[in-house]
Amino acid sequence: MKAVGINLSDAENIETIENPTISIESSCDDTSVAILEKNIKNGIAKAQLHFHKKITSNNLAYKGVHPIVALESHEQNLAILVQDAMKSMPKVMENKDSSSDLVYKPDFVTVTRGPGMRSNLSTGLNTAKGLAIAWQVPLVAVNHMQAHALTPRLVSALDNANPSPLKPNFPFLSLLVSGGHTMLIHSQSLISHPTLASTVDIAIGDCIDKIARHVLPQEVLNSAKSAMYGPVLESFAFPKGASDYEYSAPTSRAQEISSKKSSWGWSITPPFVETKALRYSFVGLDSTVRRIVETRNEPISMDERRDLARSAMRVAFEHLASRVILALAQMHETDSKNALIIRALVVSGGVAANQYLRHVLRAYLDARKYKHIQLVFPPLELCTDNAAMIAWAGMEMYEAGYVSGLGCQALRKWSLDPSASDGGILGVPDWKRMPEIRN
């Protein structure tokens, strides 16, 4: 990496900072910028975040993400965040005890290329291109969902108190759950993530938000700080936290697909009870909850609303878990040797912040004899969209020798699966290969 205004080949007593990048995330309603630095010493990756901020557009009036409001928020805030980030760039060390006024410039610029809202993505992508041209450094335009899957590896590198090789090791399973995506993938390597299961209709985050709008009392909805109502629904359903869960996971497929009748007279049938196909569906769950609320002839009590919120989340999360179990079982049947290598399930995306989901998944795996599968969740602040995960995905791609052409365009859809029609991560145009970076 070069320092602004200094030739490192002629400089003496300067501490070298390796592989720093500035990153931009703008795929939906979050505008985020980060500066991440990474070093590898003695085979151990160490990372440091010098800057990381995020601004979310205010969509409360629309009870969901409004594309124009989100776009205007990006236009208003992105340049300001980049300006703030530049104040945090690492300074050149004159010696081990003092730094100069000179700052390093990034080795490359990382940005989300897709999937997401094209106009929003383009705001970040065009800004990143401008920075790459101005600094004369490469651009790395990464897949947003790949970044979610790699987030635990970032967390591993940031743990300087307990330095160790990056975890989890490939291969592992990834359950990516958010307002726009629901997919179970087999993360075989940095660039290969075959899809095992995905939603055929709406995403689980979208479903949870809609259920919240059906179930929550108006005064609770009005207290929400954003139009993402999932955290509000969780707090309403479990006011005492984990002590309210009272959950026992089904130990068989028969228990899994059975409807549990509530004391109020209604029941919620799990999705896809008639098939073991590796697919997700959440639109029926949303419709069932709406019908329960709208067909009542009398006001629903607070206790019933709370029970309905708990039951709806239980069914949604058990549906997620059921396909993980089916996928693991199929892998053992078809390729038992490689299936035994799978030791971790990464759960990432905004819905991964839900503590009840974490509880259900762990209980489910244990009840179905998969206690050896480690559940890996990012910290809460890295579950939702953020530029730190984008920086890390760019870091891994850059070190593997991949950079993007300046003609690359934003992608509304972009698969992770190399067998998909678009060819997966490397199937889209404008990737360029350079020698791998060895630290």
Side-chain angles (χ1 to χ4, degrees):
M1 176 178 181
K2 293 184 178 180
V4 176
I6 191 168
N7 186 335
L8 290 186
S9 62
D10 297 331
E12 297 181 357
N13 301 319
I14 294 178
E15 179 181 336
T16 302
I17 308 292
E18 298 181 16
N19 287 0
T21 185
I22 186 170
S23 63
I24 294 171
E25 156 62 20
S26 65
S27 62
C28 188
D29 62 334
D30 292 311
T31 310
S32 186
V33 175
I35 293 176
L36 181 71
E37 163 202 341
K38 178 188 173 190
N39 294 281
I40 296 181
K41 294 182 180 179
N42 300 322
I44 304 297
K46 291 185 176 182
Q48 180 180 353
L49 270 173
H50 292 279
F51 179 91
H52 188 213
K53 287 186 179 180
K54 177 171 75 173
I55 297 174
T56 303
S57 61
N58 186 350
N59 296 281
L60 271 173
Y62 305 96
K63 298 183 178 181
V65 178
H66 191 290
I68 295 177
V69 172
L71 177 60
E72 290 175 345
S73 181
H74 292 312
E75 293 172 339
Q76 180 180 2
N77 294 303
L78 180 54
I80 295 172
L81 286 180
V82 171
Q83 184 180 47
D84 287 347
M86 293 311 302
K87 299 172 186 176
S88 298
M89 285 298 295
K91 289 188 176 182
V92 175
M93 300 298 293
E94 292 181 331
N95 54 59
K96 65 178 182 178
D97 298 317
S98 63
S99 61
S100 71
D101 291 330
L102 296 171
V103 297
Y104 288 102
K105 71 177 182 180
D107 278 0
F108 57 100
V109 177
T110 308
V111 64
T112 306
R113 183 181 181 184
M117 300 177 179
R118 283 198 64 179
S119 296
N120 298 8
L121 288 164
S122 295
T123 303
L125 185 58
N126 291 335
T127 300
K129 288 179 182 180
L131 293 174
I133 292 170
W135 283 322
Q136 288 296 287
V137 297
L139 175 74
V140 183
V142 302
N143 186 298
H144 177 88
M145 301 311 294
Q146 176 197 27
H148 273 303
L150 298 177
T151 299
R153 290 167 63 85
L154 163 64
V155 176
S156 174
L158 289 171
D159 187 8
N160 291 323
N162 300 289
S164 61
L166 290 177
K167 297 179 181 178
N169 297 322
F170 295 108
F172 52 88
L173 298 186
S174 298
L175 183 60
L176 307 181
V177 285
S178 67
H181 301 273
T182 304
M183 62 179 72
L184 177 65
I185 59 176
H186 184 190
S187 294
Q188 298 173 333
S189 69
L190 174 64
I191 56 175
S192 180
H193 305 264
T195 301
L196 302 178
S198 61
T199 182
V200 298
D201 39 59
I202 63 175
I204 186 169
D206 186 21
C207 176
I208 295 296
D209 285 342
K210 289 177 176 178
I211 288 170
R213 291 196 289 271
H214 301 321
V215 174
L216 294 177
Q218 191 59 49
E219 62 269 20
V220 176
L221 283 173
N222 292 341
S223 70
K225 297 180 179 179
S226 79
M228 303 294 105
Y229 297 112
V232 184
L233 185 69
E234 181 185 4
S235 297
F236 175 79
F238 305 106
K240 295 180 182 179
S243 62
D244 280 336
Y245 290 166
E246 299 178 355
Y247 177 74
S248 296
T251 58
S252 66
R253 173 68 177 167
Q255 291 182 11
E256 179 182 288
I257 64 176
S258 64
S259 298
K260 298 176 177 63
K261 193 169 185 178
S262 74
S263 60
W264 310 97
W266 45 258
S267 61
I268 301 176
T269 302
F272 289 155
V273 295
E274 75 287 350
T275 178
K276 291 185 177 181
L278 286 178
R279 299 193 302 268
Y280 289 116
S281 173
F282 298 97
V283 71
L285 175 58
D286 167 46
S287 299
T288 298
V289 173
R290 185 182 69 249
R291 185 168 60 251
I292 291 171
V293 174
E294 292 180 349
T295 57
R296 295 302 297 272
N297 295 322
E298 57 188 22
I300 301 179
S301 69
M302 197 69 74
D303 287 342
E304 185 176 358
R305 288 179 185 273
R306 186 164 283 115
D307 282 351
L308 183 54
R310 291 178 180 181
S311 295
M313 281 194 286
R314 175 186 58 77
V315 171
F317 297 159
E318 286 187 344
H319 184 43
L320 288 177
S322 71
R323 268 46 198 172
V324 174
I325 299 300
L326 288 172
L328 286 168
Q330 287 187 17
M331 291 175 72
H332 279 277
E333 290 175 2
T334 58
D335 191 355
S336 59
K337 182 178 180 180
N338 285 327
L340 291 172
I341 301 174
I342 302 296
R343 310 294 295 184
L345 170 64
V346 167
V347 188
S348 191
V351 182
N354 189 298
Q355 297 299 309
Y356 186 51
L357 168 62
R358 299 180 179 208
H359 181 82
V360 169
L361 285 174
R362 182 69 272 164
Y364 222 96
L365 287 169
D366 291 351
R368 306 298 277 275
K369 300 181 180 180
Y370 289 102
K371 291 184 178 181
H372 65 284
I373 300 291
Q374 178 189 12
L375 278 174
V376 184
F377 295 89
L380 298 184
E381 65 272 15
L382 296 180
C383 286
T384 53
D385 295 350
N386 65 88
M389 70 176 192
I390 301 303
W392 180 260
M395 194 77 69
E396 293 218 46
M397 292 296 287
Y398 179 76
E399 290 179 352
Y402 297 101
V403 297
S404 303
L406 291 175
C408 68
Q409 296 178 308
L411 300 170
R412 187 177 69 86
K413 294 183 177 182
W414 185 7
S415 174
L416 295 173
D417 192 334
S419 66
S421 59
D422 64 0
I425 292 173
L426 296 183
V428 299
D430 295 306
W431 280 114
K432 297 182 177 180
R433 195 72 194 271
M434 62 181 189
E436 294 185 12
I437 306 298
R438 298 294 185 187
N439 289 297

